[in-house]
Amino acid sequence: MRVLIVDDHPIIVAGCSAMLAGEGDIEVVDARDAESGLAAFIANKPDVTVVDIAMPGVSGLELTRRILEIDAQARIVVFSMNDDPIFAARAIEAGAKGYVTKNDDPFLLLKAVREVAAGGVFLMPKIANQLAFAKNSAAVSPLSALTARELEILRMLGSGLGMAEIAEATQVSYKTVANSCSIMKRKLGARTPMELMRIALEQKLA
């Protein structure tokens, strides 16, 4: 089985690669950002692709979308620092088959890779339970009303990118980004782009 890991943290890549390769039947290739990750996916045709959400440039959610445009059968596991269930929900909506957080047992990633490679799906029980009860919860994340594209734009705003830079990175028009920002301001009760940036930082998107 061939696994592609797309993550910009060398220590995490090294640790995950060693764990997976130690299984004996897994070959690991890696990339450090979405652009090189997409190229590595095309070149290596992995059985499973593991992507981080927060990377330089576009996020793992956008990379997931682009990979599935090329291969609708691609099997993707999102591996993220963020344990907010809204990110798991958006990852699944984007087409990922699994979601694992980096602050849990690393062998859950191995379990997820094997489950997804076999054609299944994998969500950690904690995340699955939070998603199941999120609609009835009084403490729903303020980000829950945002689409995957809006989350991506908000994350980039939090990273200090301007709307023109975001438009170029996400391959959409400036007008689309501007409209998304207007919609997000209404959804999040923000009045200015600076307030959107503050929300992104408070929610640890950037």
mmCIF file with all atom_site columns, all heavy atoms in Angstrom, residues 7 10 13 30 40 46 49 52 54 74 77 91 94 102 106 110-111 119 134 136 138 148 153 156 167 174 204 206:
data_model
loop_
_atom_site.group_PDB
_atom_site.id
_atom_site.type_symbol
_atom_site.label_atom_id
_atom_site.label_alt_id
_atom_site.label_comp_id
_atom_site.label_asym_id
_atom_site.label_entity_id
_atom_site.label_seq_id
_atom_site.pdbx_PDB_ins_code
_atom_site.Cartn_x
_atom_site.Cartn_y
_atom_site.Cartn_z
_atom_site.occupancy
_atom_site.B_iso_or_equiv
_atom_site.pdbx_formal_charge
_atom_site.auth_seq_id
_atom_site.auth_comp_id
_atom_site.auth_asym_id
_atom_site.auth_atom_id
_atom_site.pdbx_PDB_model_num
ATOM 1   N N   . ASP A 1 7   ? 2.024   17.476 4.643  1.00 0.00 ? 7   ASP A N   1
ATOM 2   C CA  . ASP A 1 7   ? 2.077   18.192 5.920  1.00 0.00 ? 7   ASP A CA  1
ATOM 3   C C   . ASP A 1 7   ? 3.343   19.031 5.933  1.00 0.00 ? 7   ASP A C   1
ATOM 4   O O   . ASP A 1 7   ? 4.393   18.567 5.477  1.00 0.00 ? 7   ASP A O   1
ATOM 5   C CB  . ASP A 1 7   ? 2.084   17.196 7.084  1.00 0.00 ? 7   ASP A CB  1
ATOM 6   C CG  . ASP A 1 7   ? 1.773   17.842 8.427  1.00 0.00 ? 7   ASP A CG  1
ATOM 7   O OD1 . ASP A 1 7   ? 2.475   18.803 8.807  1.00 0.00 ? 7   ASP A OD1 1
ATOM 8   O OD2 . ASP A 1 7   ? 0.839   17.370 9.104  1.00 0.00 ? 7   ASP A OD2 1
ATOM 9   N N   . PRO A 1 10  ? 8.020   18.972 9.475  1.00 0.00 ? 10  PRO A N   1
ATOM 10  C CA  . PRO A 1 10  ? 8.959   17.866 9.228  1.00 0.00 ? 10  PRO A CA  1
ATOM 11  C C   . PRO A 1 10  ? 8.950   16.792 10.313 1.00 0.00 ? 10  PRO A C   1
ATOM 12  O O   . PRO A 1 10  ? 9.065   15.603 10.014 1.00 0.00 ? 10  PRO A O   1
ATOM 13  C CB  . PRO A 1 10  ? 10.327  18.568 9.164  1.00 0.00 ? 10  PRO A CB  1
ATOM 14  C CG  . PRO A 1 10  ? 10.012  19.977 8.791  1.00 0.00 ? 10  PRO A CG  1
ATOM 15  C CD  . PRO A 1 10  ? 8.700   20.281 9.435  1.00 0.00 ? 10  PRO A CD  1
ATOM 16  N N   . VAL A 1 13  ? 5.858   14.636 9.871  1.00 0.00 ? 13  VAL A N   1
ATOM 17  C CA  . VAL A 1 13  ? 6.018   13.787 8.689  1.00 0.00 ? 13  VAL A CA  1
ATOM 18  C C   . VAL A 1 13  ? 6.963   12.633 8.986  1.00 0.00 ? 13  VAL A C   1
ATOM 19  O O   . VAL A 1 13  ? 6.685   11.474 8.648  1.00 0.00 ? 13  VAL A O   1
ATOM 20  C CB  . VAL A 1 13  ? 6.537   14.612 7.489  1.00 0.00 ? 13  VAL A CB  1
ATOM 21  C CG1 . VAL A 1 13  ? 6.900   13.696 6.320  1.00 0.00 ? 13  VAL A CG1 1
ATOM 22  C CG2 . VAL A 1 13  ? 5.489   15.626 7.048  1.00 0.00 ? 13  VAL A CG2 1
ATOM 23  N N   . ASP A 1 30  ? 5.982   11.831 0.663  1.00 0.00 ? 30  ASP A N   1
ATOM 24  C CA  . ASP A 1 30  ? 5.483   13.011 1.363  1.00 0.00 ? 30  ASP A CA  1
ATOM 25  C C   . ASP A 1 30  ? 5.669   14.283 0.547  1.00 0.00 ? 30  ASP A C   1
ATOM 26  O O   . ASP A 1 30  ? 6.462   14.325 -0.397 1.00 0.00 ? 30  ASP A O   1
ATOM 27  C CB  . ASP A 1 30  ? 6.155   13.152 2.734  1.00 0.00 ? 30  ASP A CB  1
ATOM 28  C CG  . ASP A 1 30  ? 7.641   13.409 2.651  1.00 0.00 ? 30  ASP A CG  1
ATOM 29  O OD1 . ASP A 1 30  ? 8.030   14.558 2.403  1.00 0.00 ? 30  ASP A OD1 1
ATOM 30  O OD2 . ASP A 1 30  ? 8.416   12.449 2.844  1.00 0.00 ? 30  ASP A OD2 1
ATOM 31  N N   . ALA A 1 40  ? 2.473   15.341 -6.208 1.00 0.00 ? 40  ALA A N   1
ATOM 32  C CA  . ALA A 1 40  ? 2.871   14.028 -5.698 1.00 0.00 ? 40  ALA A CA  1
ATOM 33  C C   . ALA A 1 40  ? 1.735   13.019 -5.837 1.00 0.00 ? 40  ALA A C   1
ATOM 34  O O   . ALA A 1 40  ? 1.971   11.839 -6.116 1.00 0.00 ? 40  ALA A O   1
ATOM 35  C CB  . ALA A 1 40  ? 3.300   14.136 -4.238 1.00 0.00 ? 40  ALA A CB  1
ATOM 36  N N   . PRO A 1 46  ? -1.258  7.343  -4.886 1.00 0.00 ? 46  PRO A N   1
ATOM 37  C CA  . PRO A 1 46  ? -1.321  6.642  -3.597 1.00 0.00 ? 46  PRO A CA  1
ATOM 38  C C   . PRO A 1 46  ? -2.665  5.971  -3.354 1.00 0.00 ? 46  PRO A C   1
ATOM 39  O O   . PRO A 1 46  ? -3.696  6.388  -3.892 1.00 0.00 ? 46  PRO A O   1
ATOM 40  C CB  . PRO A 1 46  ? -1.091  7.774  -2.583 1.00 0.00 ? 46  PRO A CB  1
ATOM 41  C CG  . PRO A 1 46  ? -1.596  8.996  -3.278 1.00 0.00 ? 46  PRO A CG  1
ATOM 42  C CD  . PRO A 1 46  ? -1.232  8.807  -4.721 1.00 0.00 ? 46  PRO A CD  1
ATOM 43  N N   . THR A 1 49  ? -4.271  9.166  0.842  1.00 0.00 ? 49  THR A N   1
ATOM 44  C CA  . THR A 1 49  ? -3.562  10.436 1.012  1.00 0.00 ? 49  THR A CA  1
ATOM 45  C C   . THR A 1 49  ? -3.937  11.026 2.364  1.00 0.00 ? 49  THR A C   1
ATOM 46  O O   . THR A 1 49  ? -5.124  11.129 2.691  1.00 0.00 ? 49  THR A O   1
ATOM 47  C CB  . THR A 1 49  ? -3.927  11.427 -0.103 1.00 0.00 ? 49  THR A CB  1
ATOM 48  O OG1 . THR A 1 49  ? -3.586  10.852 -1.377 1.00 0.00 ? 49  THR A OG1 1
ATOM 49  C CG2 . THR A 1 49  ? -3.170  12.737 0.058  1.00 0.00 ? 49  THR A CG2 1
ATOM 50  N N   . ASP A 1 52  ? -2.832  17.516 6.056  1.00 0.00 ? 52  ASP A N   1
ATOM 51  C CA  . ASP A 1 52  ? -3.032  18.460 7.150  1.00 0.00 ? 52  ASP A CA  1
ATOM 52  C C   . ASP A 1 52  ? -3.993  19.541 6.658  1.00 0.00 ? 52  ASP A C   1
ATOM 53  O O   . ASP A 1 52  ? -4.104  19.771 5.450  1.00 0.00 ? 52  ASP A O   1
ATOM 54  C CB  . ASP A 1 52  ? -1.675  19.067 7.532  1.00 0.00 ? 52  ASP A CB  1
ATOM 55  C CG  . ASP A 1 52  ? -1.750  19.953 8.764  1.00 0.00 ? 52  ASP A CG  1
ATOM 56  O OD1 . ASP A 1 52  ? -2.757  19.887 9.499  1.00 0.00 ? 52  ASP A OD1 1
ATOM 57  O OD2 . ASP A 1 52  ? -0.797  20.716 8.989  1.00 0.00 ? 52  ASP A OD2 1
ATOM 58  N N   . ALA A 1 54  ? -4.015  22.981 8.053  1.00 0.00 ? 54  ALA A N   1
ATOM 59  C CA  . ALA A 1 54  ? -3.302  24.261 8.052  1.00 0.00 ? 54  ALA A CA  1
ATOM 60  C C   . ALA A 1 54  ? -1.919  24.096 7.433  1.00 0.00 ? 54  ALA A C   1
ATOM 61  O O   . ALA A 1 54  ? -1.017  23.529 8.046  1.00 0.00 ? 54  ALA A O   1
ATOM 62  C CB  . ALA A 1 54  ? -3.188  24.788 9.478  1.00 0.00 ? 54  ALA A CB  1
ATOM 63  N N   . ALA A 1 74  ? -10.457 8.919  -5.015 1.00 0.00 ? 74  ALA A N   1
ATOM 64  C CA  . ALA A 1 74  ? -9.320  9.084  -4.100 1.00 0.00 ? 74  ALA A CA  1
ATOM 65  C C   . ALA A 1 74  ? -9.763  8.926  -2.652 1.00 0.00 ? 74  ALA A C   1
ATOM 66  O O   . ALA A 1 74  ? -10.842 9.389  -2.263 1.00 0.00 ? 74  ALA A O   1
ATOM 67  C CB  . ALA A 1 74  ? -8.677  10.451 -4.311 1.00 0.00 ? 74  ALA A CB  1
ATOM 68  N N   . VAL A 1 77  ? -7.528  11.016 4.137  1.00 0.00 ? 77  VAL A N   1
ATOM 69  C CA  . VAL A 1 77  ? -7.684  11.157 5.583  1.00 0.00 ? 77  VAL A CA  1
ATOM 70  C C   . VAL A 1 77  ? -7.140  12.530 5.975  1.00 0.00 ? 77  VAL A C   1
ATOM 71  O O   . VAL A 1 77  ? -6.006  12.868 5.623  1.00 0.00 ? 77  VAL A O   1
ATOM 72  C CB  . VAL A 1 77  ? -6.913  10.064 6.349  1.00 0.00 ? 77  VAL A CB  1
ATOM 73  C CG1 . VAL A 1 77  ? -6.963  10.327 7.867  1.00 0.00 ? 77  VAL A CG1 1
ATOM 74  C CG2 . VAL A 1 77  ? -7.467  8.682  6.036  1.00 0.00 ? 77  VAL A CG2 1
ATOM 75  N N   . ALA A 1 91  ? -14.459 18.547 6.472  1.00 0.00 ? 91  ALA A N   1
ATOM 76  C CA  . ALA A 1 91  ? -13.563 17.613 5.779  1.00 0.00 ? 91  ALA A CA  1
ATOM 77  C C   . ALA A 1 91  ? -14.369 16.503 5.109  1.00 0.00 ? 91  ALA A C   1
ATOM 78  O O   . ALA A 1 91  ? -14.113 16.140 3.955  1.00 0.00 ? 91  ALA A O   1
ATOM 79  C CB  . ALA A 1 91  ? -12.560 17.018 6.766  1.00 0.00 ? 91  ALA A CB  1
ATOM 80  N N   . ALA A 1 94  ? -16.138 17.809 2.177  1.00 0.00 ? 94  ALA A N   1
ATOM 81  C CA  . ALA A 1 94  ? -15.222 18.021 1.055  1.00 0.00 ? 94  ALA A CA  1
ATOM 82  C C   . ALA A 1 94  ? -14.880 16.714 0.346  1.00 0.00 ? 94  ALA A C   1
ATOM 83  O O   . ALA A 1 94  ? -14.340 16.736 -0.760 1.00 0.00 ? 94  ALA A O   1
ATOM 84  C CB  . ALA A 1 94  ? -13.940 18.695 1.554  1.00 0.00 ? 94  ALA A CB  1
ATOM 85  N N   . LYS A 1 102 ? -4.163  15.379 15.723 1.00 0.00 ? 102 LYS A N   1
ATOM 86  C CA  . LYS A 1 102 ? -2.753  15.099 16.025 1.00 0.00 ? 102 LYS A CA  1
ATOM 87  C C   . LYS A 1 102 ? -2.488  14.956 17.518 1.00 0.00 ? 102 LYS A C   1
ATOM 88  O O   . LYS A 1 102 ? -1.425  14.458 17.901 1.00 0.00 ? 102 LYS A O   1
ATOM 89  C CB  . LYS A 1 102 ? -1.871  16.208 15.442 1.00 0.00 ? 102 LYS A CB  1
ATOM 90  C CG  . LYS A 1 102 ? -1.875  16.236 13.927 1.00 0.00 ? 102 LYS A CG  1
ATOM 91  C CD  . LYS A 1 102 ? -1.002  17.366 13.390 1.00 0.00 ? 102 LYS A CD  1
ATOM 92  C CE  . LYS A 1 102 ? -1.004  17.375 11.872 1.00 0.00 ? 102 LYS A CE  1
ATOM 93  N NZ  . LYS A 1 102 ? -0.208  18.476 11.314 1.00 0.00 ? 102 LYS A NZ  1
ATOM 94  N N   . PRO A 1 106 ? -1.197  8.427  18.167 1.00 0.00 ? 106 PRO A N   1
ATOM 95  C CA  . PRO A 1 106 ? -0.768  8.410  16.760 1.00 0.00 ? 106 PRO A CA  1
ATOM 96  C C   . PRO A 1 106 ? -1.170  7.144  16.022 1.00 0.00 ? 106 PRO A C   1
ATOM 97  O O   . PRO A 1 106 ? -1.310  7.159  14.797 1.00 0.00 ? 106 PRO A O   1
ATOM 98  C CB  . PRO A 1 106 ? 0.758   8.556  16.847 1.00 0.00 ? 106 PRO A CB  1
ATOM 99  C CG  . PRO A 1 106 ? 1.115   8.179  18.248 1.00 0.00 ? 106 PRO A CG  1
ATOM 100 C CD  . PRO A 1 106 ? -0.048  8.585  19.082 1.00 0.00 ? 106 PRO A CD  1
ATOM 101 N N   . LEU A 1 110 ? -2.786  5.255  11.886 1.00 0.00 ? 110 LEU A N   1
ATOM 102 C CA  . LEU A 1 110 ? -2.572  3.968  11.218 1.00 0.00 ? 110 LEU A CA  1
ATOM 103 C C   . LEU A 1 110 ? -3.904  3.241  11.043 1.00 0.00 ? 110 LEU A C   1
ATOM 104 O O   . LEU A 1 110 ? -4.190  2.703  9.964  1.00 0.00 ? 110 LEU A O   1
ATOM 105 C CB  . LEU A 1 110 ? -1.604  3.116  12.034 1.00 0.00 ? 110 LEU A CB  1
ATOM 106 C CG  . LEU A 1 110 ? -1.403  1.667  11.559 1.00 0.00 ? 110 LEU A CG  1
ATOM 107 C CD1 . LEU A 1 110 ? -0.856  1.622  10.142 1.00 0.00 ? 110 LEU A CD1 1
ATOM 108 C CD2 . LEU A 1 110 ? -0.469  0.924  12.529 1.00 0.00 ? 110 LEU A CD2 1
ATOM 109 N N   . LYS A 1 111 ? -4.720  3.254  12.097 1.00 0.00 ? 111 LYS A N   1
ATOM 110 C CA  . LYS A 1 111 ? -6.035  2.597  12.030 1.00 0.00 ? 111 LYS A CA  1
ATOM 111 C C   . LYS A 1 111 ? -6.898  3.242  10.946 1.00 0.00 ? 111 LYS A C   1
ATOM 112 O O   . LYS A 1 111 ? -7.578  2.551  10.170 1.00 0.00 ? 111 LYS A O   1
ATOM 113 C CB  . LYS A 1 111 ? -6.723  2.687  13.393 1.00 0.00 ? 111 LYS A CB  1
ATOM 114 C CG  . LYS A 1 111 ? -8.019  1.892  13.485 1.00 0.00 ? 111 LYS A CG  1
ATOM 115 C CD  . LYS A 1 111 ? -8.572  1.925  14.911 1.00 0.00 ? 111 LYS A CD  1
ATOM 116 C CE  . LYS A 1 111 ? -9.868  1.119  15.002 1.00 0.00 ? 111 LYS A CE  1
ATOM 117 N NZ  . LYS A 1 111 ? -10.440 1.149  16.370 1.00 0.00 ? 111 LYS A NZ  1
ATOM 118 N N   . GLY A 1 119 ? -11.742 0.769  2.045  1.00 0.00 ? 119 GLY A N   1
ATOM 119 C CA  . GLY A 1 119 ? -13.009 1.251  1.507  1.00 0.00 ? 119 GLY A CA  1
ATOM 120 C C   . GLY A 1 119 ? -13.963 1.788  2.553  1.00 0.00 ? 119 GLY A C   1
ATOM 121 O O   . GLY A 1 119 ? -15.110 2.143  2.237  1.00 0.00 ? 119 GLY A O   1
ATOM 122 N N   . ALA A 1 134 ? -24.089 17.854 17.866 1.00 0.00 ? 134 ALA A N   1
ATOM 123 C CA  . ALA A 1 134 ? -23.801 19.280 17.666 1.00 0.00 ? 134 ALA A CA  1
ATOM 124 C C   . ALA A 1 134 ? -25.062 20.101 17.439 1.00 0.00 ? 134 ALA A C   1
ATOM 125 O O   . ALA A 1 134 ? -25.206 21.204 17.948 1.00 0.00 ? 134 ALA A O   1
ATOM 126 C CB  . ALA A 1 134 ? -22.842 19.467 16.489 1.00 0.00 ? 134 ALA A CB  1
ATOM 127 N N   . ASN A 1 136 ? -27.921 19.751 18.630 1.00 0.00 ? 136 ASN A N   1
ATOM 128 C CA  . ASN A 1 136 ? -28.698 19.941 19.853 1.00 0.00 ? 136 ASN A CA  1
ATOM 129 C C   . ASN A 1 136 ? -27.901 20.634 20.956 1.00 0.00 ? 136 ASN A C   1
ATOM 130 O O   . ASN A 1 136 ? -28.387 20.803 22.058 1.00 0.00 ? 136 ASN A O   1
ATOM 131 C CB  . ASN A 1 136 ? -29.173 18.582 20.375 1.00 0.00 ? 136 ASN A CB  1
ATOM 132 C CG  . ASN A 1 136 ? -30.030 17.856 19.358 1.00 0.00 ? 136 ASN A CG  1
ATOM 133 O OD1 . ASN A 1 136 ? -30.853 18.470 18.709 1.00 0.00 ? 136 ASN A OD1 1
ATOM 134 N ND2 . ASN A 1 136 ? -29.835 16.554 19.225 1.00 0.00 ? 136 ASN A ND2 1
ATOM 135 N N   . ALA A 1 138 ? -25.941 23.611 22.940 1.00 0.00 ? 138 ALA A N   1
ATOM 136 C CA  . ALA A 1 138 ? -26.046 25.062 23.124 1.00 0.00 ? 138 ALA A CA  1
ATOM 137 C C   . ALA A 1 138 ? -24.723 25.739 22.814 1.00 0.00 ? 138 ALA A C   1
ATOM 138 O O   . ALA A 1 138 ? -24.663 26.952 22.636 1.00 0.00 ? 138 ALA A O   1
ATOM 139 C CB  . ALA A 1 138 ? -26.468 25.367 24.569 1.00 0.00 ? 138 ALA A CB  1
ATOM 140 N N   . ALA A 1 148 ? -17.131 25.188 3.603  1.00 0.00 ? 148 ALA A N   1
ATOM 141 C CA  . ALA A 1 148 ? -15.707 24.852 3.526  1.00 0.00 ? 148 ALA A CA  1
ATOM 142 C C   . ALA A 1 148 ? -14.927 25.969 2.841  1.00 0.00 ? 148 ALA A C   1
ATOM 143 O O   . ALA A 1 148 ? -13.818 26.322 3.269  1.00 0.00 ? 148 ALA A O   1
ATOM 144 C CB  . ALA A 1 148 ? -15.520 23.527 2.782  1.00 0.00 ? 148 ALA A CB  1
ATOM 145 N N   . ILE A 1 153 ? -11.214 30.774 3.263  1.00 0.00 ? 153 ILE A N   1
ATOM 146 C CA  . ILE A 1 153 ? -10.940 32.204 3.109  1.00 0.00 ? 153 ILE A CA  1
ATOM 147 C C   . ILE A 1 153 ? -10.676 32.842 4.462  1.00 0.00 ? 153 ILE A C   1
ATOM 148 O O   . ILE A 1 153 ? -9.762  33.668 4.611  1.00 0.00 ? 153 ILE A O   1
ATOM 149 C CB  . ILE A 1 153 ? -12.104 32.893 2.372  1.00 0.00 ? 153 ILE A CB  1
ATOM 150 C CG1 . ILE A 1 153 ? -12.150 32.405 0.917  1.00 0.00 ? 153 ILE A CG1 1
ATOM 151 C CG2 . ILE A 1 153 ? -11.982 34.418 2.427  1.00 0.00 ? 153 ILE A CG2 1
ATOM 152 C CD1 . ILE A 1 153 ? -13.376 32.862 0.138  1.00 0.00 ? 153 ILE A CD1 1
ATOM 153 N N   . MET A 1 156 ? -7.196  32.077 5.611  1.00 0.00 ? 156 MET A N   1
ATOM 154 C CA  . MET A 1 156 ? -6.198  32.862 4.886  1.00 0.00 ? 156 MET A CA  1
ATOM 155 C C   . MET A 1 156 ? -6.174  34.320 5.349  1.00 0.00 ? 156 MET A C   1
ATOM 156 O O   . MET A 1 156 ? -5.109  34.928 5.438  1.00 0.00 ? 156 MET A O   1
ATOM 157 C CB  . MET A 1 156 ? -6.462  32.780 3.383  1.00 0.00 ? 156 MET A CB  1
ATOM 158 C CG  . MET A 1 156 ? -6.143  31.409 2.803  1.00 0.00 ? 156 MET A CG  1
ATOM 159 S SD  . MET A 1 156 ? -6.433  31.355 1.032  1.00 0.00 ? 156 MET A SD  1
ATOM 160 C CE  . MET A 1 156 ? -5.200  30.140 0.558  1.00 0.00 ? 156 MET A CE  1
ATOM 161 N N   . ALA A 1 167 ? -7.722  35.218 -3.656 1.00 0.00 ? 167 ALA A N   1
ATOM 162 C CA  . ALA A 1 167 ? -8.347  34.871 -4.935 1.00 0.00 ? 167 ALA A CA  1
ATOM 163 C C   . ALA A 1 167 ? -7.384  34.078 -5.812 1.00 0.00 ? 167 ALA A C   1
ATOM 164 O O   . ALA A 1 167 ? -7.757  33.070 -6.421 1.00 0.00 ? 167 ALA A O   1
ATOM 165 C CB  . ALA A 1 167 ? -8.807  36.138 -5.655 1.00 0.00 ? 167 ALA A CB  1
ATOM 166 N N   . TYR A 1 174 ? -11.691 37.692 -7.595 1.00 0.00 ? 174 TYR A N   1
ATOM 167 C CA  . TYR A 1 174 ? -11.652 38.626 -6.464 1.00 0.00 ? 174 TYR A CA  1
ATOM 168 C C   . TYR A 1 174 ? -13.072 38.883 -5.963 1.00 0.00 ? 174 TYR A C   1
ATOM 169 O O   . TYR A 1 174 ? -13.317 38.944 -4.755 1.00 0.00 ? 174 TYR A O   1
ATOM 170 C CB  . TYR A 1 174 ? -10.997 39.933 -6.910 1.00 0.00 ? 174 TYR A CB  1
ATOM 171 C CG  . TYR A 1 174 ? -10.912 40.980 -5.831 1.00 0.00 ? 174 TYR A CG  1
ATOM 172 C CD1 . TYR A 1 174 ? -9.770  41.086 -5.021 1.00 0.00 ? 174 TYR A CD1 1
ATOM 173 C CD2 . TYR A 1 174 ? -11.968 41.859 -5.594 1.00 0.00 ? 174 TYR A CD2 1
ATOM 174 C CE1 . TYR A 1 174 ? -9.695  42.049 -4.018 1.00 0.00 ? 174 TYR A CE1 1
ATOM 175 C CE2 . TYR A 1 174 ? -11.900 42.814 -4.593 1.00 0.00 ? 174 TYR A CE2 1
ATOM 176 C CZ  . TYR A 1 174 ? -10.763 42.903 -3.807 1.00 0.00 ? 174 TYR A CZ  1
ATOM 177 O OH  . TYR A 1 174 ? -10.691 43.841 -2.810 1.00 0.00 ? 174 TYR A OH  1
ATOM 178 N N   . LYS A 1 204 ? -8.209  29.898 16.226 1.00 0.00 ? 204 LYS A N   1
ATOM 179 C CA  . LYS A 1 204 ? -6.975  29.156 15.937 1.00 0.00 ? 204 LYS A CA  1
ATOM 180 C C   . LYS A 1 204 ? -6.971  28.561 14.525 1.00 0.00 ? 204 LYS A C   1
ATOM 181 O O   . LYS A 1 204 ? -6.513  27.446 14.287 1.00 0.00 ? 204 LYS A O   1
ATOM 182 C CB  . LYS A 1 204 ? -6.760  28.043 16.979 1.00 0.00 ? 204 LYS A CB  1
ATOM 183 C CG  . LYS A 1 204 ? -6.640  28.574 18.400 1.00 0.00 ? 204 LYS A CG  1
ATOM 184 C CD  . LYS A 1 204 ? -6.480  27.472 19.405 1.00 0.00 ? 204 LYS A CD  1
ATOM 185 C CE  . LYS A 1 204 ? -6.405  28.040 20.825 1.00 0.00 ? 204 LYS A CE  1
ATOM 186 N NZ  . LYS A 1 204 ? -6.305  26.965 21.847 1.00 0.00 ? 204 LYS A NZ  1
ATOM 187 N N   . ALA A 1 206 ? -5.472  30.214 11.961 1.00 0.00 ? 206 ALA A N   1
ATOM 188 C CA  . ALA A 1 206 ? -4.212  30.600 11.303 1.00 0.00 ? 206 ALA A CA  1
ATOM 189 C C   . ALA A 1 206 ? -3.007  30.126 12.116 1.00 0.00 ? 206 ALA A C   1
ATOM 190 O O   . ALA A 1 206 ? -3.125  29.883 13.304 1.00 0.00 ? 206 ALA A O   1
ATOM 191 C CB  . ALA A 1 206 ? -4.169  32.120 11.134 1.00 0.00 ? 206 ALA A CB  1
#
